Amino acid sequence: MNARIITAARVLTGCGATHAPGAVVVDEDEIVWLGPTSELPGGWGGATRIDLPEATVLPGLIDAHVHLSFGGATHPPTAIQARTRGEVAATIRTGLAELLGAGVTTVRDLGAPHYTDLDTLALIHDRPRVLTSTIPLTVAGGHCHGLGGTIDSIAGIRDLVAANADRGADWIKIMGSGGFTTGGASSPYEPQFTDAQVRAAVEAAHERGVPVAVHAHGTAAIRQAVTVGVDSIEHCTWMTSDGFNLDRGLVREIADRAILVCPTINHLARSAAGRLPWPVRRDHLRIMLEAGVRLVPGSDAGIPHTPPGCYPHSLSAYLDLGLSPAEVIDLATRRAAETLRIGHLTGTLAAGLSADLIAVPSDPTRDLAQLTTPILTMAAGHLHHPNATPEAEEETRA
């Protein structure tokens, strides 16, 4: 791959500096220089130059909770286990392309059937970075049981955690409570596992240096997750069978233990009026944020009506928490990378880091909606132009 020089009206480094105008030099898959355009050094003869005189370049977006194998169709897969590996792989490939078109350069996939995520990803090099969890742990008839991770004993839990880790899982996913989208007999409001079972999973994962993410809607499941020492709580909706029960003492404990919370806010969250009305969720999130809980944005892409490409449209919801556009961008880039333990690779723009960046038409720190119309995406040095023809895409990879 030839060196590329990208110049723009402004470059947001994510490290506290903005270069206006600025330039980023990429060689192979990493950033080798960035700074004010006026200080661009020589010696880059033959480099491809991309000039974006009105645009802003910034770190690529990070979606911390997706299900690439689900697809985001109106109706969820009724029997994921029965779908062919080829069909699931095609869904994953389509989702990866949508992510690139939306300016998303890293995702954390929190559950796929029978290791299809890893098998498929091994064949695709021009894609966003994917942190995988492979098969999630659940109970017989429980949430996402169709993915193949049903276990009913501590020995079985430890064996599945070991198998996932040996296959290269970046995270271990536990379905701590029931859910709403994939059926199952368990309740979203109650834990699926005993404390001892979840503790065994956490211990087995931590022995292998792998962090644990727990799906927990109900307050009881959230309390269990905190008690056994998980690393990430997904959804964290504080639900009960008859409403909500946000435990402020437990919120403080989540903050004190530095457990991250991914509230899975999607592009439809602000208009929600059913089980999770936005005013309630907004107030809960404000309480957690004010208490010092580390929030990381994630869309739960793949569930019904939530295709992967909609992630940038979800970020405006965080403005309702009192954050500025610049703070939301920081949450979805630098802070997301740090909380997912990949800040040494991505999340900011600096020499030596992965060339994960996007360009948007104007200044997103003034208008967050700019993030929804990226001009280009670069993932580990691979350049992608949204809406480009396949032929044009091939030219950018030459």
Side-chain angles (χ1 to χ4, degrees), residues 263 265 278 281-289 295 321:
I265 301 298
W278 179 241
R281 290 231 69 195
R282 179 197 62 208
D283 290 348
H284 288 174
L285 292 169
R286 284 176 176 171
I287 290 169
M288 287 191 280
L289 193 64
L295 296 182
L321 309 184

Side-chain angles (χ1 to χ4, degrees), residues 305-394:
H305 308 289
T306 309
C310 289
Y311 175 63
H313 296 269
S314 72
L315 296 176
S316 59
Y318 291 88
L319 298 174
D320 293 359
L321 309 184
L323 299 178
S324 69
E327 289 171 326
V328 175
I329 293 169
D330 189 51
L331 196 68
T333 54
R334 179 186 66 86
R335 290 174 62 184
E338 290 177 352
T339 56
L340 295 181
R341 309 182 182 195
I342 54 172
H344 60 294
L345 300 174
T346 191
T348 57
L349 302 182
L353 294 188
S354 180
D356 300 333
L357 57 85
I358 60 174
V360 297
S362 187
D363 186 354
T365 66
R366 295 178 178 272
D367 176 16
L368 195 64
Q370 293 293 313
L371 297 180
T372 66
T373 55
I375 299 169
L376 63 81
T377 303
M378 183 173 282
H382 291 281
L383 191 60
H384 175 82
H385 293 278
N387 303 317
T389 64
E391 293 79 11
E393 281 289 287
E394 288 299 321

Side-chain angles (χ1 to χ4, degrees), residues 2 54 102 155 192 212 229 235 246 288 353 364 371 376 381 398:
N2 294 327
E54 298 180 1
Q192 293 197 136
V212 176
H235 312 301
L246 183 140
M288 287 191 280
L353 294 188
L371 297 180
L376 63 81

Side-chain angles (χ1 to χ4, degrees), residues 4 30-31 34 92 100 105 125-126 155 186 218 220 239 278 281 288 297 326 384:
R4 292 185 171 94
E30 72 175 40
I31 298 168
L34 78 162
I92 292 173
L100 286 176
T105 57
H125 302 289
D126 181 9
S186 56
M239 300 179 81
W278 179 241
R281 290 231 69 195
M288 287 191 280
H384 175 82

